[in-house]
Amino acid sequence: MQRAFRQIDVFSSGPLSGNPLAVVLDGDGLGTDEMQRFANWTNLSETTFVVPTSSPEADYGVRIFTPASELPFAGHPTLGTCHAWLEAGGAPKRPDVVVQECGAGLVPLRRVDTGLAFAAPPLVRSGPVGDEDRAMVLRVLRLDEADVVELAWIDNGPGWIGVLLADADAVLALDPDLGAEPRYDIGVVGPHGAGGPADLELRAFFREGGTAFEDPVTGSLNASVAQWLIETGRASAPYTARQGTAIGRAGRIEVTADADGTIWVGGASTTHVEGTVTL
C-alpha cells in the first residue's frame, strides 16, 4: 500500500543542520512489527507514524520508533510530525493549539516565530543520582567529580541523567567513552558567555540496541534541562540553546515559559523529502 511520507529536518538553523525525522502520515492498519521494521530500515534516530487518536481532545495520534524500540514520547519527532501533519492539510480543532496523542498522553503544541513548540511533559524522575550510576556517568564522560557542577535525574521518559558543567567549552571538549555502555541516556549542558552563539550548549548520548551514540538535537533533553535549570535558578526563560556542534550540526532550540510555569521547547522544521512509501 502506498502511504504519504515526509522526511523533516527538525531544530534546524539552516539547510540540513538539525535532526532528521521520517514521518509516515498514514499509519492506520500497520502493526507494531511493521512499524518497527520500517523504523529500523530508515536507520534514523526516530521514525513516526500518524495514527487515529482515541482521545476527543487530540487532533492526531502518533507512534514513535527508534531503529530498535518504541518510545512513549520524544521531542524532535513531536515537532516534526506536527509540522508534516499541518503541511499535509491537517486542521486542528482549535486555532491556537495542536494536540498530539502519544504514548505519554496528550502533548500540546503551538505555533511560534521559529516554527512550532511543544509543552514540556512532567518529569517522571528527578533528584540525586546514586553513587553507582554517578560513577557510570563520570566513567562514560571521562570526567572527575571536580569537573561537575551538578548531576541529577532529569527523566521525562527516555531515562535522562543531566550533567551540568562549568561552561560550553567544557561541554564541547568532551571525548566520551561510548564503548563503556551507559545504562541511561546522558545529557550534558554548559553556559555560553555573554555574546556567545547561544545561551546554553548541549550534548546528548543515547543507548540504542546495545550501542551508544551522540544525538544531533534532542527535544526531550532540552525540555528536561529547561525544567531542571529553571527550577534550580541556574537559567531563566526565554533562552536559546545550541546542540550538535561537536558532530557537525547546528541545531537551535528556543525555550520560553508561560506565567503559569509551562515550559515550551521550539524550533524550526523543514521538509526535505516528500512522496510515498510502500508499506
Side-chain angles (χ1 to χ4, degrees), residues 9-270:
D9 191 26
V10 185
F11 290 122
S12 54
S13 61
L16 306 176
S17 59
N19 199 352
L21 172 75
V23 182
V24 177
L25 284 158
D26 176 15
D28 192 18
L30 289 173
T32 299
D33 290 346
E34 293 171 293
M35 293 181 181
Q36 186 64 75
R37 186 162 57 249
F38 184 70
N40 180 269
W41 178 80
T42 67
N43 202 32
L44 298 177
S45 57
E46 278 99 12
T47 297
T48 65
F49 300 83
V50 177
V51 295
T53 176
S54 62
S55 169
E57 300 176 59
D59 293 300
Y60 64 88
V62 66
R63 296 183 67 180
I64 305 168
F65 289 80
T66 74
S69 62
E70 185 171 6
L71 300 176
F73 169 79
H76 103 273
T78 293
L79 290 189
T81 302
C82 186
H83 167 85
W85 182 79
L86 290 169
E87 189 178 66
K93 295 180 175 68
R94 293 165 47 188
D96 59 334
V97 67
V98 180
V99 179
Q100 170 186 284
E101 183 182 33
C102 60
L106 300 179
V107 179
L109 297 102
R110 65 187 183 189
R111 293 176 175 88
V112 294
D113 290 343
T114 54
L116 293 164
F118 66 85
L123 299 183
V124 298
R125 187 175 186 180
S126 60
V129 175
D131 291 344
E132 182 179 348
D133 289 327
R134 188 180 185 95
M136 177 274 295
V137 170
L138 296 176
R139 184 171 62 253
V140 169
L141 297 180
R142 305 185 207 261
L143 293 175
D144 296 323
E145 281 284 357
D147 299 320
V148 175
V149 176
E150 191 171 349
L151 194 152
W153 284 105
I154 55 169
D155 183 16
N156 54 11
W160 288 113
I161 292 176
V163 182
L164 176 63
L165 300 184
D167 53 40
D169 288 341
V171 175
L172 292 172
L174 287 173
D175 179 24
D177 179 10
L178 298 183
E181 297 184 2
R183 291 189 296 274
Y184 303 100
D185 296 337
I186 301 170
V188 189
V189 58
H192 283 279
D199 296 305
L200 298 177
E201 187 77 33
L202 280 81
R203 295 178 72 178
F205 304 104
F206 265 101
R207 300 164 295 112
E208 179 61 45
T211 60
F213 65 96
E214 182 165 358
D215 194 52
V217 199
T218 318
S220 63
L221 173 62
N222 275 276
S224 60
V225 162
Q227 290 163 311
W228 177 38
L229 296 186
I230 290 171
E231 183 179 340
T232 58
R234 297 186 181 276
S236 60
Y239 70 76
T240 60
R242 192 175 72 161
Q243 190 181 342
T245 312
I247 55 174
R249 305 290 178 87
R252 188 171 183 88
I253 304 95
E254 306 284 344
V255 173
T256 60
D258 289 345
D260 65 2
T262 303
I263 292 171
W264 295 85
V265 179
S269 294
T270 306

